[in-house]
Amino acid sequence: MTNLAPSRAEQEIDRLLGIYPRGFDLSLDRIARLLDDLGRPQDRMPPVIHVAGTNGKGSATAFSRALLEAQGLAVHVHTSPHLVRWHERYRIGVKGGPGRLVSDDMLLEAILRAERVNAGQPITVFELLTAVTFILFAGNPADAAVIEVGLGGMYDATNVLQNPAVALIMPIAMDHQQWLGQTIEEIALAKSGIIKRGAAAVFGRQEESAALDVLVDRAEKLGAPYVVYGQDYLAHEENGRLIYQDDGGLMDLPLPALPGRHQYSNAGAAIRAVKAAGFTVTEEIAARAMKDVSWPARLQRLKTGKLVELAPEGSEIWLDGGHNPHGGRAVAEAMAAFEERDPRPLYMVSGMINTKDPKGYFEAFDGLARQVFTVGIKNSDATIDPVALAHDAVEAGLKAGPVDSAAEALTRIAELTRSDDRPPRILIGGSLYFAGNILEENGTPPD
């Protein structure tokens, strides 16, 4: 097992977690005050693609980065949460090459500056670390920035941005109801908060027409020019190729390196958003981006590592952080497509947190998965007890049982499949936090 010792920056963050509130307290007052005291670094950003949504926003962020880097641009990227190390949240753009995760010295310096200027005033840790984003990105030259919303949109700490180049809103579904509202309309209204007066907006594929109605209404009220997936632009698979089309014409592209049919529309939304932000996207640029895009723990194939060695030889192991019913359906669809192409018994290893809908997630795999092994998430007060999680899986129609660790689950799967004709397909996931546990245990953290 890989145990990464906390760096100096991570030690400082751990100290802050003991002083300031964790979690979310949706308001812009505290971070706006801190950023004012810091000299408003958010106003000195390169053109920003601001990304919100329930599902697909991380993938859209990855596609946007790939599209911009494919043309040699330096691109800053902010994402959350991280999988293994806090540094993953801050990628610093490099001209002519891929960006790099922030160095520990640079991160520590920005954290100390934000904390010093805040001077002990009320603030959450997430707000402090969002201020760090703007300190880092404003202090390093770049051609563009892609900033992923942490939670919601309207009152998320990243929404101090007043003039983004484009607001990209990905699929909206029921999630985080305790913060965002109990209906799809309320959640969509929260997400729509990143739309700014007169600034471009791109709406990704929306399964809920009520959510799209809310987005369109806000854009029209603010005079924000907007485009809608399925009406103004489209992406789909045809003869093993990704076909993208908008009012600028058609692109014939390779399928994205990120597996799953749900990535086709995610790629399309990113292409349209990068264009709306004022950047050129040629067919050559887009083709390069589709081949180069990467995004850990989103149907990531694990081929090497300490956990992988415990699985039966020849196993196909996939890691995915999807955690709500909409995400579960997308991943289940991908597993079904894999099964059609290459039949194998499917086993699941799952860990989830208590703000999610486990039964709704597992229902998507009824008839697909042979058995589910449930595991607790390390270092999380919100983890669902594996016994309770197994009960949720059983209620969803699956055979399930708790185990003490992912390692034990993989060992059990090896025993169960010893006499099978084909090595199993194993899906590990249910939470980005759990995916982070897996990458660390496997010895393959993101870089």
Side-chain angles (χ1 to χ4, degrees), residues 327-383:
R329 289 192 296 271
V331 177
E333 182 181 287
M335 292 296 113
F338 294 162
E339 173 67 15
E340 185 175 343
R341 185 173 66 247
D342 176 21
R344 294 168 180 250
L346 175 65
Y347 289 84
M348 296 174 65
V349 182
S350 301
M352 299 187 74
I353 61 174
N354 58 20
T355 58
K356 306 304 175 186
D357 175 8
K359 184 183 175 189
Y361 173 82
F362 285 125
E363 282 174 343
F365 299 92
D366 186 15
L368 277 175
R370 182 175 292 188
Q371 188 166 346
V372 182
F373 294 93
T374 56
V375 185
I377 301 174
K378 296 177 183 176
N379 303 316
S380 172
D381 295 335
T383 185

Side-chain angles (χ1 to χ4, degrees), residues 72 118 157 227 253:
N118 187 65
V227 292
L253 307 170

Side-chain angles (χ1 to χ4, degrees), residues 217-233:
D217 181 65
R218 181 166 177 85
E220 291 182 343
K221 285 179 178 177
L222 293 174
Y226 65 91
V227 292
V228 176
Y229 182 89
Q231 298 178 24
D232 304 299
Y233 71 99

Side-chain angles (χ1 to χ4, degrees), residues 67 70 241-245 248-254 271 275 280-291:
L67 287 158
R241 302 282 292 177
L242 179 68
I243 306 302
Y244 171 85
Q245 189 169 10
L250 181 145
M251 294 184 191
D252 183 357
L253 307 170
I271 292 172
K275 294 174 73 172
T280 299
V281 181
T282 65
E283 189 170 84
E284 180 183 3
I285 288 169
R288 190 179 305 131
M290 294 306 106
K291 292 178 180 178

Side-chain angles (χ1 to χ4, degrees), residues 83-141:
L83 294 169
V84 179
R85 310 202 77 163
W86 285 91
H87 305 68
E88 298 166 34
R89 299 183 180 222
Y90 313 97
R91 186 173 292 273
I92 306 299
V94 175
K95 195 81 169 177
R100 63 182 187 276
L101 298 186
V102 65
S103 70
D104 197 65
D105 287 345
M106 187 184 293
L107 179 56
L108 178 62
E109 181 181 353
I111 292 170
L112 292 175
R113 181 182 171 196
E115 185 189 8
R116 181 174 64 253
V117 171
N118 187 65
Q121 297 180 78
I123 202 162
T124 68
V125 172
F126 182 78
E127 289 163 345
L128 266 175
L129 295 176
T130 301
V132 165
T133 301
F134 297 120
I135 293 171
L136 290 170
F137 291 2
N140 291 277

Side-chain angles (χ1 to χ4, degrees), residues 165-393:
V166 62
L168 171 56
I169 302 182
M170 298 303 290
I172 296 171
M174 298 300 291
D175 201 8
H176 296 302
Q177 290 97 312
Q178 65 269 48
W179 289 295
L180 304 180
Q182 298 300 315
T183 68
I184 198 70
E185 291 87 354
E186 290 174 324
I187 293 171
L189 183 62
K191 309 283 186 184
S192 76
I194 70 168
I195 302 170
K196 298 300 191 299
R197 185 171 300 279
V202 173
F203 303 146
R205 182 176 185 173
Q206 302 296 330
E207 293 184 4
E208 300 280 355
S209 60
L212 180 59
D213 289 345
V214 171
L215 301 182
V216 168
D217 181 65
R218 181 166 177 85
E220 291 182 343
K221 285 179 178 177
L222 293 174
Y226 65 91
V227 292
V228 176
Y229 182 89
Q231 298 178 24
D232 304 299
Y233 71 99
L234 185 66
H236 66 280
E237 183 270 337
E238 188 175 308
N239 298 321
R241 302 282 292 177
L242 179 68
I243 306 302
Y244 171 85
Q245 189 169 10
D246 63 17
D247 56 4
L250 181 145
M251 294 184 191
D252 183 357
L253 307 170
L255 293 179
L258 300 183
R261 298 185 65 85
H262 58 290
Q263 296 295 2
Y264 305 160
S265 57
N266 291 342
I271 292 172
R272 192 64 188 86
V274 170
K275 294 174 73 172
F279 297 94
T280 299
V281 181
T282 65
E283 189 170 84
E284 180 183 3
I285 288 169
R288 190 179 305 131
M290 294 306 106
K291 292 178 180 178
D292 292 344
V293 66
S294 66
W295 192 224
R298 280 72 172 184
L299 277 182
Q300 176 185 357
R301 179 81 181 269
L302 298 181
K303 296 183 178 181
T304 61
K306 297 180 180 180
L307 288 178
V308 172
E309 292 171 0
L310 298 174
E313 185 176 353
S315 295
E316 209 177 86
I317 304 176
W318 297 91
L319 179 67
D320 190 85
H323 49 250
N324 55 40
H326 184 275
R329 289 192 296 271
V331 177
E333 182 181 287
M335 292 296 113
F338 294 162
E339 173 67 15
E340 185 175 343
R341 185 173 66 247
D342 176 21
R344 294 168 180 250
L346 175 65
Y347 289 84
M348 296 174 65
V349 182
S350 301
M352 299 187 74
I353 61 174
N354 58 20
T355 58
K356 306 304 175 186
D357 175 8
K359 184 183 175 189
Y361 173 82
F362 285 125
E363 282 174 343
F365 299 92
D366 186 15
L368 277 175
R370 182 175 292 188
Q371 188 166 346
V372 182
F373 294 93
T374 56
V375 185
I377 301 174
K378 296 177 183 176
N379 303 316
S380 172
D381 295 335
T383 185
I384 298 177
D385 179 79
V387 174
L389 188 59
H391 178 73
D392 290 325

